[in-house]
Amino acid sequence: MEINRIGVIGAGQMGNGIAHVMALAGYEVLLNDISQEALDRAVATISRNLDRQVSREKISQEAKDAAMGRISVTKVLADLGPTDLVIEAATERETVKEAIFQDLLPHLAPHTILTSNTSSISITRLASRTDRPEKFMGFHFMNPVPVMQLVELIRGIATDAETFEACRKVVEKLGKSAASAEDFPAFIVNRILMPMINEAVYTLYEGVGSVQSIDLSLKLGANHPMGPLELADFIGLDTCLAIMNVLHDGLADTKYRPCPLLTKYVEAGWLGRKTGRGFYDYRGETPVPTR
């Protein structure tokens, strides 16, 4: 099927990044959020990020202007009904995602493909609560969306071949690479990445190394661009904890038990960069370890 119009639910960091790359690739994008402030902030962020691409000569000013012209916003979820593809990028809570799909279902065109940008929740389970499990799949972008080249495509047990191929073609048009993942907890990237981050938190918790020494060791010793604790702050410690809980609950293996220190930071509201404090304190000129 031909995909021309794309609805994006959620105007946060992931949602505005998805809207950015879709509009730049030539798709008409309708961005939805319950907050007008979030929508205004998302449009400003997209414009600023496109300006950065123009200044680096990645794109032309004309391409930026055309992309911005393809983005519309709405607070009314039903407005997304006539789109060809919906990408849900709301909070990483299953109950929230289910409620969104339930509210949207009565307004959808028969051909509309539903997808979720979830980083860990069962696609099969989400799909089973809709009227079109064969037209439902996981469409997992990496953060930051305009920069990262990978998209995980996750088929639920009922997803048909036509739906998968349509989504694969969208990824191709974006100039990104698709990795096909089976529908098991946390898929590929987070199945490997999150236990590594969790182990880094355990290494800190047990006093094996300091925040700085742990991050330095992985950057210089394993050639990682960011240390695991720095990366956890970038992702959001609440998101890291949520994914570890999905792994622990879904696979019933104690090796996925979230570190108590990670839980403690989340309980404190120290969620990383987005709250100003996590394993580093970002409120000054340069980040300072909090432990």
Side-chain angles (χ1 to χ4, degrees), residues 39 41 260 269:
L39 289 169
R41 194 165 52 242

Side-chain angles (χ1 to χ4, degrees), residues 94 98 116 118 120-130 132-134 136-138 154-159 182-184 187:
E94 191 165 347
E98 279 183 22
S116 176
T118 178
S120 60
I121 297 168
S122 167
I123 297 302
T124 299
R125 195 163 60 238
L126 286 174
S128 72
R129 276 87 184 248
T130 74
R132 59 194 69 204
E134 72 287 347
F136 192 110
M137 63 181 294
I154 307 103
R155 277 177 279 212
I157 197 168
T159 306
E182 294 302 313
D183 185 25
F184 290 98
F187 320 130

Side-chain angles (χ1 to χ4, degrees), residues 27-49:
Y27 293 105
E28 295 295 325
V29 178
L30 184 55
L31 180 60
N32 164 263
D33 200 283
I34 56 173
S35 161
Q36 186 61 48
E37 184 185 351
L39 289 169
D40 294 342
R41 194 165 52 242
V43 171
T45 299
I46 293 167
S47 181
R48 192 167 57 249
N49 288 340

Side-chain angles (χ1 to χ4, degrees), residues 1-2 113 134-135 159-168:
M1 66 170 283
E2 191 70 26
I113 292 173
E134 72 287 347
K135 290 186 177 298
T159 306
D160 63 26
E162 184 185 19
T163 297
F164 178 84
E165 189 57 25
C167 290
R168 190 194 64 75

Side-chain angles (χ1 to χ4, degrees), residues 61-83:
Q61 183 64 46
E62 291 74 18
K64 184 243 171 159
D65 294 341
M68 291 302 297
R70 295 187 194 103
I71 299 172
S72 305
V73 300
T74 181
K75 287 173 61 182
V76 181
L77 189 62
D79 289 349
L80 274 63
T83 58

Side-chain angles (χ1 to χ4, degrees), residues 203-224:
T203 305
L204 178 65
Y205 177 60
E206 293 168 4
V208 179
S210 66
V211 169
Q212 283 182 315
S213 62
I214 291 166
D215 278 349
L216 187 68
S217 295
L218 268 293
K219 282 195 282 191
L220 301 186
N223 207 28
H224 290 193

Side-chain angles (χ1 to χ4, degrees), residues 241-256:
L241 179 60
I243 296 170
M244 286 309 302
N245 281 325
V246 166
L247 282 166
H248 191 231
D249 296 344
L251 297 170
D253 192 325
T254 55
K255 73 179 180 180
Y256 299 114

